[in-house]
Amino acid sequence: MSETGRRSAMRRTLSPTGVIAVVLPLLTVGALALVRPDPASIPAQGAQEVRPDRVDLVCPSALTEPLLAVAVAGAEVAGTATAIPESGDAEPVEVEDDAVTRLSSPEVTELRGEGDLASSLIAARVQERGLAATDCVLPRPDYWFSGVGAGAEHVSVLELTNPDDGPAVADVTVWARSGQLDVPTLRGVIVPGGETLRLDLAQEVPRRTELGISVVVSRGRLAATVEDEIPSLGARAATRGWLPESGEPATEQLLLGLAAGEGSDTLVLTNPGADEARVELRVVTQDASFVPEGLAEVRVGPMSVETVTLSEVLRRQVQEGALGLELSATEPVSATLRSVVGEDLVHATRVAGSTNAMTALVPPGEARLVLAGAEGSGIAQVTAYDADGRRLQRRRVELTDGSGGEVELRRGTALVRVSSKRTTVAAAVVVTGRGATVVPLEELVRRSLVPAVRPGLL
């Protein structure tokens, strides 16, 4: 057969059915590629705000007296309160609206509120001799403390409590006057479930100068508190208390609550940033704030701690009615004002203004409420209750922009509440007697955010 005949035979094998079998799939793929479906519509949904139905308040170890004060502040609500000692044998606590229940147990490390009262439960450790008090705290992911001692003349113990069953892990960063310190033993600190770990900073990082520390919880939940002591030296008696948390570094701060009498005052500033901070100090009174003569601007180097002695200036201002210190800095700093008055350790506390109701448990003694930092004209309504929940007094304080006030609380006051109208105001209680202590007023956590969780699209 000729060559031409063979080519003709091959052409005859390409039937129409074969062409369709090849071309049709290609056309289908091309058509699908041209289709542009509308994107799936996902409705925006933010976190839901709900009233908490459980709260865990972690309390520090007792100093010398095992007194623990517990209360439900606000409207009468249903629920249960439970005291949980370190041994784990929980006991119910009887609580009533605005009444204060006092427990005498050094073993209790946690107060748990369940039901509606969870958002109203408050608790505090109290020491009547060498007066001292500190709130039981909600576990948080980070804490800041300035003015920590790690030497022979000032000793601080960092206490980490894990309220859960599983282990928790924290990293402790330390700053000194010389800069940030490398302390390997304070990185990756493990606290077993249900246990408390006490870290004596004089052993972990011995220093003669004041320190600043931050605690960052990388796993689980932890409550961090600091026990503070000025040891005895010669004729000077030892004094102990709790160092209040100085809060996240900020450029504007108000330290409220100054005890009158002979003593010394030390301001400790921690600058964790990379730039130098310049800090202006202003004395706060009932009417205004001002820079008194002799109170110069303070410079705090980057990533360092600066200590300022204010005794000569501040003791004179306290006699003339000073309520606290106002700090204005060019860079965020953490601050603590420590005083030793009548051989007792006292810390002014950092406070924040609020328009919501604020509450505090009041230790036994002579107590006065101090108000400051009003932002605009308004009224502060002050209500005091005794331990049985009976109202002892009600007082209205007129406020103007930048003003404050003082209210002497009646003997026997165990709980105080401040509600403001048309303005924000900050408040603290100064208690004197067998020593002195300062207690901040804080608003309760009435709402918590629950994140919206839904399937994602791949």
Side-chain angles (χ1 to χ4, degrees), residues 316-338:
R316 182 172 66 251
Q317 296 298 328
V318 171
Q319 293 177 359
E320 297 177 1
L323 304 178
L325 274 184
E326 190 176 66
L327 280 65
S328 180
T330 58
E331 299 292 331
V333 296
S334 176
T336 291
L337 178 60
R338 181 179 70 244

Side-chain angles (χ1 to χ4, degrees), residues 116-405:
D116 291 340
L117 66 73
S119 61
S120 303
L121 186 67
I122 56 176
R125 276 281 182 206
V126 177
Q127 178 172 292
E128 295 188 33
R129 290 176 295 179
L131 197 58
T134 188
D135 289 337
C136 300
V137 299
L138 283 166
R140 296 197 311 278
D142 56 78
Y143 302 83
W144 292 83
F145 298 94
S146 191
V148 173
E153 296 184 2
H154 180 201
V155 181
S156 298
V157 176
L158 173 63
E159 186 171 282
L160 302 174
T161 300
N162 181 358
D164 301 321
D165 295 331
V169 180
D171 294 302
V172 183
T173 305
V174 184
W175 292 271
R177 186 170 188 177
S178 58
Q180 184 173 329
L181 304 180
D182 183 19
V183 191
T185 58
L186 295 180
R187 291 197 299 267
V189 178
I190 300 175
V191 184
E195 296 187 13
T196 296
L197 178 65
R198 290 170 58 85
L199 299 171
D200 187 341
L201 297 177
Q203 296 181 4
E204 300 292 336
V205 53
R207 285 291 188 282
R208 296 182 61 184
T209 59
E210 302 285 332
L211 303 175
I213 66 172
S214 73
V215 180
V216 177
V217 183
S218 57
R219 178 182 177 184
R221 295 193 307 162
L222 285 174
T225 54
V226 172
E227 183 182 304
D228 216 25
E229 180 179 2
I230 305 295
S232 60
L233 181 63
R236 184 187 70 191
T239 177
R240 298 169 69 192
W242 289 281
L243 177 67
E245 202 215 342
S246 53
E248 186 175 353
T251 56
E252 302 289 336
Q253 297 180 57
L254 175 60
L255 304 178
L256 202 56
L258 300 173
E262 296 295 326
S264 62
D265 304 283
T266 304
L267 177 68
V268 184
L269 300 167
T270 301
N271 176 13
D275 298 317
E276 180 186 74
R278 300 190 309 276
V279 185
E280 181 185 70
L281 308 178
R282 303 176 67 87
V283 171
V284 177
T285 67
Q286 293 189 45
D287 301 319
S289 63
F290 63 94
V291 180
E293 183 179 354
L295 202 57
E297 181 182 78
V298 181
R299 292 178 177 267
V300 189
M303 303 182 71
S304 68
V305 176
E306 189 66 34
T307 303
V308 185
T309 301
L310 300 176
S311 307
E312 184 176 349
V313 175
L314 203 54
R315 284 297 99 193
R316 182 172 66 251
Q317 296 298 328
V318 171
Q319 293 177 359
E320 297 177 1
L323 304 178
L325 274 184
E326 190 176 66
L327 280 65
S328 180
T330 58
E331 299 292 331
V333 296
S334 176
T336 291
L337 178 60
R338 181 179 70 244
S339 303
V340 178
V341 181
E343 297 188 344
D344 189 40
L345 185 62
V346 189
H347 295 95
T349 182
R350 178 176 172 179
V351 292
S354 177
T355 57
N356 298 321
M358 300 179 292
T359 308
L361 293 164
V362 181
E366 297 180 6
R368 60 186 174 93
L369 175 76
V370 291
L371 304 167
E375 297 182 2
S377 300
I379 297 172
Q381 180 78 54
V382 180
T383 312
Y385 303 87
D386 66 9
D388 294 324
R390 292 189 296 264
R391 192 176 71 197
L392 293 180
Q393 68 184 113
R394 177 175 286 179
R395 173 85 177 272
R396 287 163 55 94
V397 180
E398 300 284 344
L399 300 170
T400 58
D401 189 34
S403 73

